[in-house]
Amino acid sequence: MTDATAGAGPNPQDAAAKAAEKPGPMLAADGTPLKKSLSRALRRQKLRALMLIAPLLIFVLVTFVAPIADMLFRSVENQIVSDTLPRTTAALDDWNADSGELPGEAVYEGLYYDMVIAEERKLHTRLGSRLNYEQTGLSSLFRQTGRGVDDIGEVYFDQFDDLNPAWDEAVTWAELMGEPNWVAEAKARAGNDESIPGFEMKDGIEDLLPRTAEMYGIFAEFTETEDEDSPIEEEPWEMVHVALYQDLVSQDVSGYDGAQADLLNEAKAAVGDFETIGFKDGFLEIEDDWGNHDIWATIKTYSPNYTNGYFLAAVDMEKTPDGPALRDENERIYGILFQRTMFMSLMITFSCILLGYPVAWLLANLPSRSANLLLILVLLPFWTSLLVRTSAWKVMLQQQGVINDVLVWLGLVADDARLVMINNQFGTIVAMTHILLPFMILPLYSVMQTIPPSYLRAAKSLGATNWTAFWRVYFPQSVPGIGAGSILVFILAIGYYITPEIVGGTTGTFISNRIAYHISSSLNWGLAAALGTILLAVVMALYWCYDKIVGIDNVKLG
Amino acid sequence: MADGSNEAFVAFERVQKSYDGENLVVKDLNLSLPKGEFLTMLGPSGSGKTTCLMMLAGFETATHGEIKIGGVSINHIPPHKRGIGMVFQNYALFPHMTVAENLSFPLEVRKMGKSEREKKVKRALDMVQMGAFGGRRPAQLSGGQQQRIALARALVFEAELVLMDEPLGALDKQLREHMQFEIKRIADDLGITVVYVTHDQTEALTMSDRVAVFDDGRIQQLAPPDELYEAPQNSFVAQFIGENNTLEGTVETIGSGRCTVKLDQGAVIDAVPVNVSQKGERTRVSIRPERVEFNPQMGPDAHTLEAEVQEFVYMGDVFRTRLKVAGKEDFVVKTRNRADQVRLSPGEKITIGWLPEDCRALDAT
Ligand SMILES: Nc1ncnc2c1ncn2[C@@H]1O[C@H](COP(=O)(O)OP(=O)(O)O)[C@@H](O)[C@H]1O
Ligand SMILES: [Mg+2]
C-alpha cells in the first residue's frame, strides 16, 4: 500500500512520546513557560485584530444590537401605568378584581392626586392612548377626566378661601411650608426682581402635614422646573388644598408654632364643618365610566412594570380575569398575517429557485464574455429604485394594465372579465420574486462556478443520461447554493415592507406592514416590538431547523 | 488498409476539429488501434490531445471525418451510450458520494441489481487495493488514493475502452512511477484497450505499446517506444523524446541508407538520411547523448569531431559532459559510471565520434 501520506511527516505518537519525556512545562528561550509567552504573543495579535474591527463592531453595536435589545425590551416594558399613576396602582394592590366590587375610596384618592399631577404634566393622554390598546374608550375617559379633575379640588379651595382670604395668597403657603431662612431670602429677592433660590421644605412639616407636604413639594418642584417660577409667587394647585383638608381632618396640629400657626389652627377648627365630596363620587360625577368594574380591572392588569400583554396581543390573545384567552374569531388578525407572511415568503423563495436556477446555470456555463453581459442584466434591477420597480409592476398587472390589455386584445380574456393580478397575493408574489431574484441567482452562480464541468462529463461517461447526470451529480453539489440563496431570499422576504405595501392590497400584506402601521400610525410601539420579536424568533427558529436538516456548513456563498 | 480496418477496434478516419471555425485544432487525424492495445498520445500542451480524447468520448463533435469503434461510426452516439470508461485529470470523483457510491454509480444507471453491484464494487476496489476505503468520501483520501478510485470507477462497469487524460499529472514523482506500473499491470490483466494522454515522455515510453506523438494537431510519429526513441522520423520527435544533440548542416552526398552532411562550421560527418532526399538540402542531424564515444577507435570511414569540455556533471549512475562541438556549446554526452570511465575536466580537448547509423539526418525545421 503506497500513497503520498503514509510515512510522510512525523509520527504523532513519536512526538507525544518525546513531549512526555520532559518533566514540567515547556520553557521558552527566556525561561518563561512556553504557554505563557505564546498566549502573550497571541494576545497582542488579538488586540490588533480587535482594533481593526473596532469601527465595525461599534457600528454594529449601535445600529443593530442596541435597537434589537431596545425592541426586545419595549415588547415587555409597561412602566407608563405605574409611572403615571403611582398612588393608584399602589392602592390597587389591595383590591381584588374578582370580587366584582369597585375599588375603595383609597384608590380614588390616589387616582385624584395622580390625575392632577399627570394633567399638569400632560401625561394623562399618553397613558390613555396606551390603555386604549387594551380597552377602547380609555383614551377619551382619561382626556375627559383630565379636564374635570379640578372640580373636586375647587370644592375645598373655595372653602379655604372663604374661611380666610390669606389662603389665596402664595406667600401664606410658602411661609407655612417653606424653611424660614429660605422664605426670608426668597421674599427679599422677589422684591428686587432677583433670581429666587430653590424651595426648601420646613423641617418637621412632613410629620405634621404629610399629604400637604408631599403635594406642595411636587407643586413647588414643578413650578420651578417646568414653569420656571417660584412657589413664593405662585399660589398652589387646588390639590394642595385637598391634601391640607385631609391632613387637618386626621392630624393634630396643636403643637405647631411656626409661621402661620394661627391660620392653621383656625382652619383646623373650621374643617369639621367643611362641605365635603368623596373622591369616588367626584370621579363618578366627572365620568360614569369610573364606576365601570372592567376599567379598573384593565388598569390593575396593566399596572405591573412588565407585561406579556403585547405578546398576547401579537398572537391574537388577550388577558381576561380567567387568564390569557384567544380573542373572538373576528378580532384575530396576527395569526393569519403570520401564516400569510410565511406562506408567501415560501412561495417567493420557491419561485426564485425555479426562475433563478436555470439563469445561474447559464451564467456559470457560458463563456465569460457573455456571462458577464448576462450578469449585468441580472444585476440591472439593483440599479433601479425599488419604488420604481414596484410601481412598474402595478402598471403591468393592474386591470387596465399592459398584461390585461394584451390578453384582451388577443381575445384570451373578455373585456369585462379582466384578471385581478394586483393588490392581492399574486401581485405581491410576482413583484417580490422579481425584486429578490438576484439574491437567489448570485449565491447559486458562485456555487455553480466552483463545480467543474468534468463532473457532468464523468457522469455521462459512466453511462448516465443528461438528466441523471444533472440530478445525481450536479444538483446535489449545487444544493449549498440553493440553501444560501433560499435563506437570503426567505429572510429578506419575511421582513419585506415596501412592495407588499404598494401592491399587496388587503390580502397581500405582510406582518411587517402591520408592524409599520403600529409604529407610525397607531403608535403602539410595544405591540410593534412584540410582533417584531416574534418575527425574529420565527426566523431564528427556521434557521435552526435549517441547520438541523441541511447543516449550515452546507451553505456556501462561493 | 482494408484488412487493417477489419481488426481495428478504435479508428479515427480523416478527423478534423475546429472550435472557432478559423483554426484547426486537429488536422487530418488517422489512427487505428487494435483491441487490447495501450496507446499513448504524447505531445506538448495545446497540441490537441485532449480534444482527440474528448471526440472519442463524445464530449466534442468532430468537425469532419469519422470515429469508429468496432467498425461502427459513433459520431452520432451520445457519450453515455458509448460505454467508454474515462479517468479525468482531476479525477472528477463525485464529492457528495462515498467511494463505494461513486463506484456503484455507473452500475446503478445500468439498472444492475444491488447484490451484483456490491460484488462488482468490491472486486474493483480490491483490484486497486482500496478495499478498506469504500465508506470514505473522496475528500478524505490522498491524491494517490483518489487516483486509484478514479481508475476503479472507470473499470467497474467493464468498459472495453478506457480513456485517461493525464491521470497522474497531479501526483508527485515517486507515486507517479508507482501508478504507471499499476495502471499498466491492470490494463494488461483485464485486456482492455487504453488511450492514454500525457505530456510526460517517460510515462509514455514506459507504459505504452505504441505512442502517437502529437504536435500542432497532427500525429508526428506513431511507433512503439523503442522505435520512437531510436528512430525518430523528424526533428520534432527527436527533440521531444529524450535528450538529443542536433547539429545543423547541408547534405553533400546522398546514397541509399547513407549520406554525408557538411556541418555549418566545416566538418563533414556520415549520417542516415531519414527525411532528406537530395543534395544541397538543409538538415539537422540528431545524435543521442549516450551513443557518443570519447576518443573512438573506429573504422577508417568513420568521421570524428574535435570537442572542448565545458562542464562535467556527476549524476550518480551516469556522467553528463557538456561539450563545445562544431561551434555549439550545448552538445551533451552521457557516459556510464564505470570504474575505468575517464572523468574529464573543463577545458580539456578531446575527439568524439559515433557510429554513422546512430546519426540521423532529419528535416531542418
Ligand atoms: N473548448 C474549447 N474551445 C475553444 N478552444 C479550445 C477548447 N478546448 C481546447 N481548445 C484549444 O484547442 C487547442 C488544443 O487543446 P487541447 O486539446 O486541450 O490540447 P492538449 O490536451 O494537447 O493540451 C488549444 O489551442 C486550445 O486552446
Ligand atoms: Mg489536455
Side-chain angles (χ1 to χ4, degrees), chain B residues 19-20 25 43-52 60 165-166 197:
Chain B
Y19 284 108
D20 50 11
V25 171
S45 178
S47 55
K49 310 178 297 287
T50 299
T51 305
C52 287
E60 297 290 351
D165 191 359
E166 311 208 14
V197 163

Side-chain angles (χ1 to χ4, degrees), chain A residues 393-399 403-404 419 421-422 427 430:
Chain A
W393 278 111
K394 232 175 161 131
V395 174
M396 294 282 285
L397 296 177
Q398 63 189 325
Q399 282 194 292
I403 291 179
N404 264 315
L419 302 176
M421 295 185 291
I422 199 86
V430 168

Side-chain angles (χ1 to χ4, degrees), chain A residues 349-360 433-434 437 440-441:
Chain A
T349 309
F350 280 121
S351 328
C352 281
I353 295 174
L354 284 183
L355 295 177
Y357 199 94
V359 178
T433 300
H434 169 237
L437 197 53
M440 179 63 77
I441 293 177

Side-chain angles (χ1 to χ4, degrees), chain A residues 162-183:
Chain A
D162 292 346
L163 183 68
N164 192 332
W167 287 114
D168 208 7
E169 299 287 334
V171 179
T172 312
W173 285 94
E175 282 174 351
L176 178 64
M177 307 304 295
E179 181 68 28
N181 290 337
W182 170 80
V183 174

Side-chain angles (χ1 to χ4, degrees), chain B residues 247-254 259-271 276 278-285 361-362 364:
Chain B
L247 298 168
E248 288 179 26
T250 318
V251 179
E252 263 207 342
T253 63
I254 186 159
C259 66
T260 53
V261 175
K262 186 169 196 283
L263 299 181
D264 292 348
Q265 167 263 6
V268 175
I269 55 171
D270 284 326
V276 289
Q278 63 199 39
K279 228 177 109 179
E281 201 175 331
R282 290 289 297 167
T283 181
R284 260 184 202 169
V285 293
L362 305 170

